[in-house]
Amino acid sequence: MAEANNTNERPVSRRNFLKNSGLVLGGLVVGGVAGSLLRRPETPAQPAAPPPATDYNQALMFFTPEQFKVVDAACERIFPEDELGPGAKALGAAYFIDHQLAGDWGFNAREYMQAPFYPGEITQGYQGRLKRREIFDIGIQEMNNYSNSTHGKRFYELPPEQQDAVLKAFETDEVKLTTISASTFFNLLRASTIEGVYADPLYGGNKNMDGWKMKNFPGNQMTYTQLIDKPEFVKMAPLSLRDHQH
Amino acid sequence: MAKKLPKVDVVIVGVGWGGGIIASELTKQGLTVVGLERGKERKTEDYFMVHDELRYALRYELMQDLSKETITFRSKMNVRALPMRSYGSFLLGTGLGGAGVHWNGQTFRFLPYDFEIRSKTIERYGAKKIPEGMTIQDWGITYDQLEPYFDKFEKMAGIAGEENPLGGKRSSPYPIPPMRTTPSMQLFADAAKKKNLHPYILPSANLSQAYTNPDGVARAACQYCGFCERFGCEYGAKADPVVTVIPVAKKTGKFEIRTHSHVRRILHTGNKATGVLYTDVTTGEEFEQPADIVVMTSYVFNNTRILLMSKLGKPYDPATGKGVIGKNYAYQVMRGGAVGFFDDREFNNYAGAGSLGMCLDDYNGDNFDHSDLKFIHGANISVTQTGYRPIGTNKVPPGTPSWGKEFKAASIKYTNRFISVGAQGASMPFRQHFLDLDPTYKDAFGDPLIRITYDFVDQDRELAAFCADKCAEIVKEMGANEKLEINRKLGPYDITPYQSTHNTGGVIMGASPDTSAVNNYLQMWDAENVFVVGASSFAHNSGYNPTGTMGALSYRAAEGILKYRKSGGGMLV
Ligand SMILES: Cc1cc2nc3c(=O)[nH]c(=O)nc-3n(C[C@H](O)[C@H](O)[C@H](O)COP(=O)(O)OP(=O)(O)OC[C@H]3O[C@@H](n4cnc5c(N)ncnc54)[C@H](O)[C@@H]3O)c2cc1C
Ligand code: SF4
């Protein structure tokens, strides 16, 4: 397994890359490379700042602290810490979900939410009138209710095995809910946990790109021409969108 | 009252590949053209922060806003159609360049068999081979007639490729050499050759090297950056209308693009269009744009929808099989495939390009004997390396749970240790599969949504199972471990998982006005100054991505429009 050679170098910014790689062509260009941005003056390289002590991103936009505890605990069971590395909790997945629910996605803003609403066939997709933030409100409450009635405690107070049993009961629709199906909520929770683990850290999850590091995903690189046809696996330190923000 | 604007030679509805090609070809010949595009302007500079999987691949940054307009879907006529409320099965383009901005660039030519599918099927197997209700018909054009236009499209876009050993005859080689060969592509090629199959490098609209096209447009080489399908290319290396045909049209000074312009109707008196009616979505103001010629390039769904709303052409009636607008909606069978897991080697799965791959056509079209098979046509079988990103890719061997410790370990272990061999299955039209206007659901303007009535049928199920077995044989030969995922079983058509944005039909081409909506110049039989361009003209869908063929037909239509203009009117066929 070869280590990439760029681990100790300064990350290559998009603008520098375009400039140095000969991708800027002569007067012929009609379409193509983002020329106008290349002509902007360079900002001098900044010395690397020490990591901030406080992560100001880790505050709640949507969940109540109680809701957050439930989601944080559930995410961790979906993607637990183990010998491979951090779990969803340490990666900030629940903060990610909180922030997502506060915006467009939580309001289903770019989805068709016009009436009339009819129950459809499974193959017709989601047909409910509830938005994602409402589904989370209900789902979280029901997870606590179910935990209380089966184990006498709130979800996040249960030991891991019992938490898994609760999640399983939601996943398989063993829990019967009235407004949504338990599995609809579970699938949403699972999918957004994975997003929180692996989305660019700018969204509040995947802290320190540690999700990517576990998977050997290099994040946001400018080019792979140097390795695309090589037989060996190439590991490299990941770059985030932040690395291009200068 | 709509404000009436000065008349132009040609008005184009939608500026994606279809609109861009038409605009460049017509303006080069001196026609004045207005392009109405409902979405916003796009440029390469938009993509400096494009390597963002969440925003582009999962939140659909570049796609149509479904809160304003979507489609409705039902499996059959006695089921209530319901809106596609969120994205799944296919992703609709919007904005300058349309879906051409966020496509992969896999650029195939349909097979000679495709264009004469009915005649050739009957010739080889007899009429009994075509089951009841399957409405395949010849396209009114042959591969040989279309060949020069394929050539033109490929040279404009800069397609990188090597000759398909089982494809139609070519007048010239691909303009640039094929993409590079990755280890997984090499394994596929070796395995295929061992089985006496005919692998070749997938034809690509991601440039394998810097290229200057016949219009003088120079573009840089692809960087195999792994953020291609669903993303815009910050290098201009992926051929898209914004970096190829649109600037060429603009340079003539004859092409005016109006973005944020949502077209609602084609205006016509009798059998001739007089222009179009549109709304400026930023102000809500209505405009009438008069034109001598109207070109519809608003993708399959809106080409059909706007014709139906404008009452132009005869609507298709599934009860009688008569009428043409909305007829022969087809899709694709993407299910039949196999995934192999490799314990003893890792691949650089994170790297890739939208059309990087190795494929074969031994089981496509009529390249193999169907005498004992319960389906016609077939699929292109391929391994592609488009860049596996971490949210979307969490492949685990069959039997692994979908969350928890075991899932985490397996999804991390196999992320760079799996190869998927897939089949892009052809889709035959059936009498009960069609497009019409939904009686209930409306868009943001109060106009009816288009309604899809479609389901998979036995033909599709047989095809999927057959292809899955072939894919499994290949991936086994490639050295995968015992635990394969083989996707043989095709359930009902489901609008929720992504399959492909290869919708076809609705305004199909053909040799007769009784069975088709447009002739082989994509000129409407029922309105001689209306041309309807796009995969809406496909009479069925092949086992390939559509844009190579759709692009060729766009060049053919442009030639037809110029002829029509020169001759002062009349039908071209
Ligand atoms: C993720 C993805 C990957 C793909 N990969 C491939 C591939 O590898 N190979 C391949 O061959 N094909 C691929 N395709 C398909 C390919 O993108 C399309 O075939 C092609 O772009 C269609 O071009 P078009 O001009 O017909 O339509 P579009 O690109 O959809 O353009 C239509 C335009 O019309 C506009 N419009 C629609 N309605 C109106 C209206 N009422 N008023 C004004 N404007 C309107 C739209 O905003 C849009 O800009 C892919 C598609 C997607 C989504
Ligand atoms: S893979 Fe190539 S063509 Fe696709 S976006 Fe990246 S550089 Fe552009």
Side-chain angles (χ1 to χ4, degrees):
Chain A
M1 206 183 279
E3 282 287 336
N5 50 11
N6 73 347
T7 33
N8 299 320
E9 287 170 23
R10 238 174 64 75
V12 189
S13 83
R14 196 163 299 264
R15 200 173 308 124
N16 272 328
F17 176 81
L18 288 169
K19 217 165 149 180
N20 298 336
S21 56
L23 285 171
V24 190
L25 301 168
L28 268 175
V29 181
V30 182
V33 180
S36 65
L37 275 144
L38 297 172
R39 286 190 289 276
R40 281 216 316 238
E42 275 290 301
T43 17
Q46 307 280 325
T54 316
D55 185 345
Y56 293 103
N57 188 278
Q58 296 210 335
L60 297 178
M61 297 178 188
F62 172 72
F63 290 140
T64 64
E66 173 73 11
Q67 287 178 316
F68 181 80
K69 282 185 201 162
V70 175
V71 173
D72 202 26
C75 289
E76 180 65 13
R77 294 317 302 154
I78 290 169
F79 196 88
E81 179 154 357
D82 61 6
E83 57 285 357
L84 295 167
K89 198 182 182 78
L91 292 167
Y95 283 109
F96 166 89
I97 296 173
D98 171 75
H99 298 356
Q100 287 292 305
L101 287 170
D104 272 6
W105 186 75
F107 285 103
N108 298 48
R110 296 182 71 234
E111 285 156 35
Y112 191 83
M113 296 304 279
Q114 304 303 314
F117 293 93
Y118 296 106
E121 300 184 334
I122 291 169
T123 56
Q124 291 175 304
Y126 178 67
Q127 292 297 334
R129 62 182 77 224
L130 295 176
K131 302 189 166 146
R132 288 191 185 86
R133 41 169 52 207
E134 295 161 331
I135 295 178
F136 265 89
D137 280 341
I138 296 168
I140 294 166
Q141 180 68 48
E142 295 289 351
M143 272 174 59
N144 264 347
N145 291 349
Y146 183 77
S147 304
N148 263 320
S149 63
T150 50
H151 305 288
K153 281 181 180 155
R154 286 174 288 200
F155 179 78
Y156 56 85
E157 295 163 341
L158 300 176
E161 309 75 56
Q162 288 181 0
Q163 288 182 346
D164 286 356
V166 173
L167 287 169
K168 190 100 212 152
F170 274 71
E171 184 190 17
T172 55
D173 278 322
E174 197 188 306
V175 184
K176 301 284 178 238
L177 307 181
T178 46
T179 40
I180 51 167
S181 77
S183 61
T184 298
F185 172 62
F186 177 84
N187 290 335
L188 191 57
L189 183 64
R190 180 199 173 271
S192 48
T193 303
I194 302 296
E195 289 176 356
V197 164
Y198 292 125
D200 191 283
L202 91 89
Y203 295 99
N206 186 17
K207 205 164 165 54
N208 303 319
M209 301 187 275
D210 284 340
W212 290 348
K213 285 175 197 157
M214 276 186 281
K215 243 186 180 182
N216 284 327
F217 182 72
N220 175 355
Q221 304 283 335
M222 294 306 299
T223 183
Y224 292 122
T225 45
Q226 76 283 10
L227 60 81
I228 191 69
D229 47 8
K230 298 288 180 291
E232 71 274 9
F233 184 71
V234 181
K235 232 171 139 170
M236 54 179 89
L239 295 178
S240 73
L241 285 167
R242 173 72 205 172
D243 293 311
H244 299 282
Q245 188 70 40
H246 49 77
Chain B
M1 254 306 268
K3 184 172 163 194
K4 197 163 176 171
L5 299 167
K7 189 171 171 186
V8 293
D9 293 336
V10 180
V11 63
I12 291 178
V13 179
V15 188
W17 268 130
I21 290 170
I22 300 288
S24 74
E25 291 304 290
L26 301 191
T27 53
K28 277 195 262 176
Q29 300 303 319
L31 270 60
T32 55
V33 178
V34 163
L36 299 173
E37 168 54 51
R38 67 179 173 187
K40 63 177 181 184
E41 167 89 28
R42 288 194 201 291
K43 46 198 181 322
T44 310
E45 287 89 332
D46 295 347
Y47 308 128
F48 267 69
M49 288 288 142
V50 79
H51 290 190
D52 183 339
E53 182 184 13
L54 185 75
R55 175 175 170 194
Y56 290 90
L58 289 120
R59 301 289 185 261
Y60 312 111
E61 173 75 26
L62 298 173
M63 284 87 181
Q64 174 180 315
D65 180 348
L66 295 183
S67 73
K68 304 215 163 67
E69 180 181 336
T70 184
I71 56 94
T72 71
F73 157 68
R74 57 181 180 174
S75 55
K76 48 181 161 313
M77 286 175 69
N78 61 6
V79 168
R80 189 202 309 269
L82 294 173
M84 177 173 82
R85 295 190 180 276
S86 46
Y87 274 119
S89 183
F90 44 83
L91 304 170
L92 302 165
T94 194
L96 199 63
V101 166
H102 51 75
W103 72 319
N104 292 45
Q106 304 179 6
T107 309
F108 292 96
R109 298 175 168 198
F110 282 11
L111 296 163
Y113 168 71
D114 281 308
F115 301 99
E116 300 166 85
I117 188 167
R118 187 173 184 89
S119 312
K120 290 196 173 189
T121 303
I122 293 174
E123 188 185 305
R124 185 162 174 186
Y125 307 106
K128 278 225 283 299
K129 187 76 186 167
I130 302 169
E132 170 67 28
M134 186 193 277
T135 50
I136 47 169
Q137 55 189 59
D138 296 354
W139 290 32
I141 198 165
T142 62
Y143 173 85
D144 289 341
Q145 281 175 289
L146 202 53
E147 203 284 336
Y149 308 98
F150 277 120
D151 192 59
K152 213 163 175 189
F153 181 76
E154 289 167 358
K155 287 185 171 139
M156 176 276 295
I159 304 305
E162 61 181 357
E163 183 158 354
N164 174 3
L166 301 175
K169 253 223 209 69
R170 304 180 56 89
S171 56
S172 63
Y174 283 105
I176 51 174
M179 300 288 275
R180 299 224 224 136
T181 300
T182 68
S184 59
M185 287 160 67
Q186 192 59 54
L187 283 178
F188 178 92
D190 294 344
K193 279 188 196 141
K194 257 201 198 147
K195 296 187 171 298
N196 295 318
L197 303 172
H198 300 81
Y200 64 101
I201 299 175
L202 204 151
S204 161
N206 318 134
L207 292 181
S208 61
Q209 61 185 41
Y211 176 68
T212 303
N213 79 4
D215 292 317
V217 177
R219 290 157 45 224
C222 170
Q223 298 300 309
Y224 302 90
C225 78
F227 288 79
C228 203
E229 173 175 24
R230 303 190 184 192
F231 304 82
C233 178
E234 71 266 47
Y235 303 111
K238 169 160 69 177
D240 93 38
V242 178
V243 297
T244 54
V245 284
I246 293 172
V248 169
K250 273 191 179 155
K251 229 169 113 185
T252 63
K254 299 268 180 194
F255 186 39
E256 185 194 340
I257 301 173
R258 288 185 211 137
T259 52
H260 302 100
S261 301
H262 181 99
V263 175
R264 298 180 57 193
R265 298 288 184 282
I266 302 170
L267 303 168
H268 55 100
T269 44
N271 286 347
K272 258 192 152 176
T274 55
V276 302
L277 180 74
Y278 75 94
T279 304
D280 176 341
V281 297
T282 62
T283 61
E285 229 181 320
E286 283 207 333
F287 293 98
E288 182 185 336
Q289 177 59 66
D292 288 334
I293 297 168
V294 173
V295 188
M296 296 303 297
T297 46
S298 57
Y299 196 59
V300 171
F301 296 116
N302 273 344
N303 280 356
T304 308
R305 188 168 83 111
I306 295 170
L307 287 177
L308 288 171
M309 292 195 304
S310 308
K311 302 202 183 324
L312 211 52
K314 295 173 203 71
Y316 175 67
D317 179 359
T320 60
K322 297 248 162 41
V324 288
I325 310 298
K327 179 179 162 173
N328 277 26
Y329 174 76
Y331 188 48
Q332 206 145 50
V333 179
M334 299 297 287
R335 177 79 184 160
V339 183
F341 298 88
F342 295 73
D343 285 312
D344 50 2
R345 81 175 284 191
E346 277 185 286
F347 304 92
N348 295 309
N349 275 348
Y350 53 80
S355 30
L356 181 63
M358 187 74 77
C359 61
L360 52 86
D361 285 320
D362 297 78
Y363 305 111
N364 204 355
D366 205 27
N367 288 346
F368 58 114
D369 184 14
H370 290 72
S371 302
D372 298 326
L373 298 170
K374 294 196 194 100
F375 62 91
I376 62 165
H377 215 303
N380 176 270
I381 287 178
S382 68
V383 71
T384 57
Q385 189 167 338
T386 58
Y388 285 120
R389 293 169 298 270
I391 303 172
T393 308
N394 284 288
K395 271 280 167 222
V396 290
T400 313
S402 68
W403 57 279
K405 189 174 161 56
E406 225 184 302
F407 165 77
K408 180 183 174 187
S411 61
I412 287 175
K413 173 173 176 189
Y414 287 106
T415 188
N416 290 309
R417 294 175 192 272
F418 83 93
I419 294 178
S420 172
V421 175
Q424 187 164 184
S427 171
M428 298 303 110
F430 285 83
R431 186 164 161 167
Q432 72 275 19
H433 297 164
F434 62 101
L435 303 175
D436 66 354
L437 296 176
D438 191 275
T440 307
Y441 292 97
K442 307 269 188 272
D443 70 9
F445 300 91
D447 285 329
L449 298 180
I450 196 86
R451 173 169 68 179
I452 302 174
T453 306
Y454 178 78
D455 203 356
F456 291 136
V457 295
D458 288 344
Q459 146 88 22
D460 304 315
R461 279 181 262 280
E462 295 284 338
L463 174 63
F466 176 87
C467 291
D469 291 342
K470 298 295 173 200
C471 293
E473 284 168 23
I474 294 171
V475 82
K476 254 188 241 162
E477 184 70 45
M478 288 167 73
N481 69 26
E482 289 301 300
K483 264 199 175 176
L484 293 187
E485 173 191 319
I486 307 177
N487 299 312
R488 290 191 93 251
K489 245 186 112 139
L490 183 70
Y493 171 64
D494 184 341
I495 198 99
T496 60
Y498 186 73
Q499 289 150 71
S500 82
T501 310
H502 303 162
N503 319 82
T504 61
V507 194
I508 65 171
M509 62 192 290
S512 152
D514 296 333
T515 52
S516 61
V518 293
N519 64 25
N520 66 22
Y521 285 101
L522 309 190
Q523 178 186 33
M524 263 188 96
W525 293 114
D526 285 341
E528 63 172 51
N529 66 339
V530 177
F531 290 76
V532 188
V533 178
S536 51
S537 64
F538 293 8
H540 70 271
N541 202 5
S542 183
Y544 288 124
N545 312 63
T547 311
T549 301
M550 179 259 155
L553 285 167
S554 304
Y555 277 103
R556 166 94 183 163
E559 192 184 294
I561 294 165
L562 290 168
K563 268 192 188 166
Y564 174 77
R565 180 81 185 170
K566 225 172 167 179
S567 65
M571 291 308 291
L572 293 163
V573 179

